[in-house]
Amino acid sequence: MTPPSRRRRWRRRVVVLAAAALLVVLPASGLLWPALPGRSGGATAGPADGPRPAPAPDPLVEDVPADQRPLLVVAPDAGGALTTSTVATSGDLPATVPETAVLLLHGYTSSAAGVADRLQAEALAAALDAVVVAPTGLGARTSWDAGGCCGSAARSGVDDVGFLRHLLVRLRARGAERAYVVGYSNGGMLAYRLACEHPDDVDAIAVVNGSITVPRCPGAFTALHLAGADDAAVPVDGAERVPYLFTGFPALEDLRTIAPAADLDLRVLPDVGHEVAPQVPATIRAWLRTAPTAPS
């Protein structure tokens, strides 16, 4: 008969081996650490590159008046040099701005500072001789109400379209004659919603890894759309439902049908997930330097 002490040692050894096997199997299966958007070829999107899986929809959030939401602003100073600053409200925008204004919209869970870094706001302002204004969405997991997506803002019906229109009115009153909106992910979806519903407010939009998330898009507008071929959050082939976003997206090729009056420049970037690929900021700058306007 095996002594009790030897049986106990054997049982401990079996438990250790079983635990080790689970640590190998579970990550590979996605049960321990679910796959994250932007994962492509072993690479995972950074902390602000996209939403993380959530067990339940984000909580409701109260809207904030358009003139009380802080902004990150990149604009030339009195000497012509670019300065980056955070202003408390839209009333604190520069008294005069260049002829070109760009609204820069971050993705779900990110911030004005995050998108300004990833889409190179200062280089964008310099290339276009523009003022670049980046607001931040609402909620603990910051988001925009782009229609079907995303987070607290969409669940709460936050008037983010009205907020953008408020900013554009203020910028035009200070000297802006052209207005562009550049958005990543959820920010790109909001750019689409603004252009779909109020095409006269913008000259053109540029969207990175976004989609149209409103049921109708009758507006006539011009858009550059850059999509990652390996994007798991907003797949180029569409998705009936992305679990952690609690919504689905149309296929990229279907956007022309959804927005029949729009002039869409749809480009798929190979080997790119939901991240902002290195070539994206320069591609957007080059496209906007052609001074795109809404189709006649």
Side-chain angles (χ1 to χ4, degrees), residues 145-149 186 189-190 192-193 211-215 247-250:
D145 180 7
C149 192
N186 184 203
M189 298 172 199
L190 179 58
Y192 263 133
R193 182 176 185 180
S211 188
I212 296 175
T213 57
V214 289
T247 189
F249 301 106

Side-chain angles (χ1 to χ4, degrees), residues 39-54:
R39 189 180 295 270
S40 172
T44 303
D49 284 340
R52 293 298 183 256

Side-chain angles (χ1 to χ4, degrees), residues 30 64 70-71 91 119 149 166 184 197 230 279:
V64 175
L71 309 166
L119 291 179
C149 192
H166 166 88
Y184 163 71
E197 297 177 355
D230 300 331
Q279 69 269 34

Side-chain angles (χ1 to χ4, degrees), residues 3-213:
S5 60
R6 185 175 299 176
R7 288 200 299 271
R8 285 194 296 271
R9 287 197 299 272
W10 175 251
R11 283 197 295 269
R12 285 197 296 269
R13 190 172 300 171
V14 170
V15 169
V16 170
L17 290 173
L22 284 173
L23 289 174
V24 170
V25 172
L26 287 179
S29 67
L31 296 175
L32 188 59
W33 295 294
L36 301 178
R39 189 180 295 270
S40 172
T44 303
D49 284 340
R52 293 298 183 256
D58 289 0
L60 298 178
V61 65
E62 282 193 34
D63 204 346
V64 175
D67 60 356
Q68 296 179 20
R69 295 172 68 166
L71 309 166
L72 185 150
V73 179
V74 181
D77 60 19
L82 284 176
T83 62
T84 300
S85 59
T86 300
V87 301
T89 73
S90 61
D92 299 321
L93 288 168
T96 59
V97 300
E99 292 182 356
T100 301
V102 181
L103 298 186
L104 195 60
L105 306 179
H106 65 76
Y108 178 39
T109 77
S110 188
S111 65
V115 74
D117 176 53
R118 285 168 173 76
L119 291 179
Q120 302 174 7
E122 290 194 356
L124 182 60
L128 301 180
D129 188 22
V131 57
V132 176
V133 178
T136 295
L138 300 180
R141 292 161 58 86
T142 49
S143 59
W144 305 108
D145 180 7
C149 192
C150 298
S152 294
R155 288 197 67 215
S156 307
V158 172
D159 187 14
D160 283 318
V161 168
F163 172 47
L164 296 192
R165 299 187 76 198
H166 166 88
L167 290 178
L168 292 171
V169 167
R170 297 298 184 275
L171 290 165
R172 291 189 187 278
R174 287 162 168 77
E177 297 180 3
R178 287 179 298 277
Y180 301 126
V181 182
V182 177
Y184 163 71
S185 190
N186 184 203
M189 298 172 199
L190 179 58
Y192 263 133
R193 182 176 185 180
L194 174 67
C196 289
E197 297 177 355
H198 302 282
D200 292 342
D201 287 355
V202 293
D203 290 280
I205 65 172
V207 173
V208 182
N209 292 346
S211 188
I212 296 175
T213 57

